[in-house]
Amino acid sequence: MEPAGSGCLGLADVHPPEAGEGAALMRRSERDAAADGRSVGFVLVHAGAGYHSESKAKEYKQVCKKACQKAIEKLQTGALAVDVVAAALIELEDSPFTNAGMGSNLNLSGDIECDASTMDGKSLNFGAVGALRGIKNPILVANKLLSEAQKGKLSAGRIPPCFLVGEGAHKWAVDHGIVSCSPDIMATKFSLSAFRKNRRKLELAEKVETEMIQTKKRREVSENECLTQYGCLSGYKVNWEKSEILPSNVTASLDTVGAVVVDHEGNVAAAVSSGGLAMKHPGRVGQAAVYGCGCWAENTGGHNVYSTAVSTSGCGEHLVRTMLARECSVALQAEDAHQALLETMQKKFVRSPFLASEDSVLGGVIVLRCCSCSLESESSLNREALLVEFLWSHTTESMCVGYMSTQDGKAKTHISRLPPGAVAGQSLAIEGGVCRLQTAAN
């Protein structure tokens, strides 16, 4: 299952490029291998859409690889998709290189507040936490909310919660057996160092802005004179995900993590987890906790020909205002998954009327869809197969992904990048492949 050649489509490119241009066309590969029915499954994970430096590419790929391997181990024991996707997320949250769980970004007050959610395609139940402190793996709380809701109503006919935030979420987690930790140990040396640098940059930026306003009130000066006097910040932005001031056309690494899974029964599940933007306001909740925005999963049935699962990454506010996870899931019911995702990313995200005021629309998704089909084996016996199509797309400079099936010896990892010269936030890349998982004979 090799990934397709990457590519990019500018805002003016509504149609797919012609063959040979190498822009966002999916090269399909298939794998047939006999396997015990209970061991069949597939996982696709992401470690964020944003900017991934070459110097840390190995570390990002390694965490994706470990997450895939953990998921496959669970699938091989017959675990269901909703539990498998949580296992993958725990590996991603535990990495110091991702902005989720331990080592997440600190907010303006110097605290870590995490968002996470998960959705089960079989039951359609959803669990989420927002602005959660003092829990090492927020996905565990989201998963527990989902599983508790599946048990039915509470005493006196009360409806169980599916989305909790802040102190209430923490108390619910502890009451349901999830071990808490001191908020202080959630930070790492890297995240604390980044916070101190970001705080200094914020103080400097605010001072410069104040002085510029005061100066303009006293006398009119040209923009160039003003910037010369107070330090040139024009054309630059503070990168709250890293620790530098970067040129404005460079996107930060928005290291929200996520995963999508299909199990031996054909059930799908999705999950997402994030520490949110650095220096965010306390109490801010991003797309990783919001229904239809951070993740989506839905089995076949009714009008759905395919089972679909989606997990997103990027600027939370952009993803919330477009409900991108849900939009992608709906689009994947079309015949051509690649074309459907391409059009959704262009029309429902980059060109969305809800983001018309934004100069740069930043986000990424991983998606899979699957269905059962029949195969004719070499022995002329009909065999059932699970056909899985998987894709990722992003408008950011890069996106790190990993994928693996129960029939693979090792996980594949890849950092997808926009082509040189492409403008992040205005162009997109899309890649993917097809995996055919052979199950038991009829």
Side-chain angles (χ1 to χ4, degrees):
M1 296 184 299
E2 295 298 330
S6 65
C8 166
L9 293 177
L11 289 181
D13 299 316
V14 178
H15 61 281
E18 295 180 0
E21 292 181 354
L25 292 178
M26 181 174 66
R27 182 188 311 140
R28 299 190 175 190
S29 62
E30 298 182 348
R31 176 185 297 269
D32 292 321
D36 171 56
R38 289 187 61 79
S39 69
V40 166
F42 180 86
V43 59
L44 170 64
V45 307
H46 71 80
Y51 173 75
H52 301 83
S53 66
E54 292 290 352
S55 63
K56 291 185 178 179
K58 182 178 179 180
E59 286 82 359
Y60 277 107
K61 289 182 177 180
Q62 183 63 23
V63 67
C64 286
K65 179 180 179 181
K66 290 176 64 177
C68 288
Q69 290 172 334
K70 178 62 68 173
I72 295 302
E73 289 173 8
K74 294 283 287 183
L75 284 168
Q76 288 173 336
T77 66
L80 296 179
V82 69
D83 295 319
V84 174
V85 81
L89 262 289
I90 290 172
E91 289 293 324
L92 294 166
E93 287 177 335
D94 285 346
S95 170
F97 295 99
T98 64
N99 174 30
M102 294 285 289
S104 290
N105 285 323
L106 280 66
N107 64 17
L108 277 171
S109 300
D111 299 313
I112 288 178
E113 295 181 329
C114 297
D115 304 329
S117 66
T118 185
M119 187 167 179
D120 176 23
K122 183 178 181 179
S123 67
L124 301 182
N125 280 336
F126 172 82
V129 290
L132 176 66
R133 298 186 190 181
I135 298 293
K136 178 173 174 284
N137 294 111
I139 192 61
L140 286 177
V141 190
N143 184 261
K144 188 69 173 179
L145 279 163
L146 186 153
S147 63
E148 287 296 308
Q150 291 176 330
K151 296 178 181 179
K153 292 184 178 180
L154 305 175
S155 60
R158 291 175 297 141
I159 297 175
C162 68
F163 182 14
L164 294 174
V165 298
E167 185 177 338
H170 183 274
K171 184 178 187 305
W172 188 95
V174 173
D175 290 345
H176 286 79
I178 296 175
V179 178
S180 66
C181 64
S182 169
D184 296 337
I185 71 168
M186 291 287 289
T188 61
K189 290 182 179 180
F190 175 79
S191 63
L192 286 170
S193 175
F195 170 72
R196 287 190 288 267
K197 292 177 181 178
N198 287 333
R199 184 169 56 186
R200 288 195 295 271
K201 289 179 174 62
L202 180 61
E203 292 171 351
L204 172 62
E206 291 177 342
K207 178 181 178 181
V208 170
E209 290 172 4
T210 299
E211 292 178 347
M212 288 177 67
I213 292 172
Q214 292 174 345
T215 299
K216 287 180 179 179
K217 288 181 178 180
R218 289 195 300 266
R219 61 187 175 89
E220 289 188 5
V221 294
S222 70
E223 183 180 4
N224 289 336
E225 289 174 337
C226 184
L227 292 174
T228 299
Q229 182 176 359
Y230 293 103
C232 180
L233 295 179
S234 179
Y236 284 77
K237 67 179 179 182
V238 180
N239 179 348
W240 299 126
E241 292 288 340
K242 298 301 179 184
S243 57
E244 310 104 353
I245 294 181
L246 296 175
S248 57
N249 63 343
V250 176
T251 52
S253 181
L254 308 169
D255 335 337
T256 296
V257 301
V260 289
V261 168
V262 58
D263 64 25
H264 66 278
E265 293 183 354
N267 301 313
V268 292
V272 61
S273 180
S274 178
L277 295 173
M279 308 305 285
K280 65 183 180 182
H281 194 282
R284 180 261 191 186
V285 174
Q287 105 284 353
V290 181
Y291 189 68
C293 304
C295 68
W296 192 268
E298 196 168 352
N299 278 10
T300 56
H303 298 293
N304 292 341
V305 177
Y306 301 98
S307 295
T308 60
V310 183
S311 180
T312 69
S313 177
C315 177
E317 279 67 21
H318 294 174
L319 295 162
V320 166
R321 288 156 62 187
T322 54
M323 296 188 68
L324 188 61
R326 170 66 172 151
E327 291 283 4
C328 289
S329 178
V330 172
L332 288 171
Q333 294 302 322
E335 182 178 353
D336 188 330
H338 166 267
Q339 185 64 26
L341 182 60
L342 171 62
E343 292 180 359
T344 300
M345 289 294 291
Q346 287 183 322
K347 298 177 182 179
K348 301 290 187 177
F349 191 57
V350 178
R351 294 177 177 172
S352 170
F354 298 102
L355 300 177
S357 62
E358 299 291 341
D359 295 328
S360 182
V361 179
L362 301 170
V365 297
I366 58 172
V367 306
L368 71 76
R369 76 174 190 182
C370 60
C371 64
S372 296
C373 61
S374 296
L375 295 175
E376 191 73 18
S377 69
E378 293 180 0
S379 60
S380 298
L381 293 175
N382 287 331
R383 288 182 177 273
E384 286 296 314
L386 191 65
L387 185 64
V388 182
E389 297 176 80
F390 57 99
L391 294 159
W392 54 88
S393 181
H394 56 95
T395 66
T396 55
E397 292 197 2
S398 60
M399 187 171 190
C400 185
V401 300
Y403 54 95
M404 186 177 184
S405 82
T406 47
Q407 296 166 183
D408 290 326
K410 61 180 180 180
K412 304 283 178 52
T413 59
H414 177 58
I415 296 183
S416 172
R417 298 187 186 278
L418 294 177
V423 179
Q426 298 179 10
S427 305
L428 66 90
I430 180 170
E431 303 179 66
V434 174
C435 175
R436 187 168 56 183
L437 302 173
Q438 187 169 309
T439 58
N442 289 336

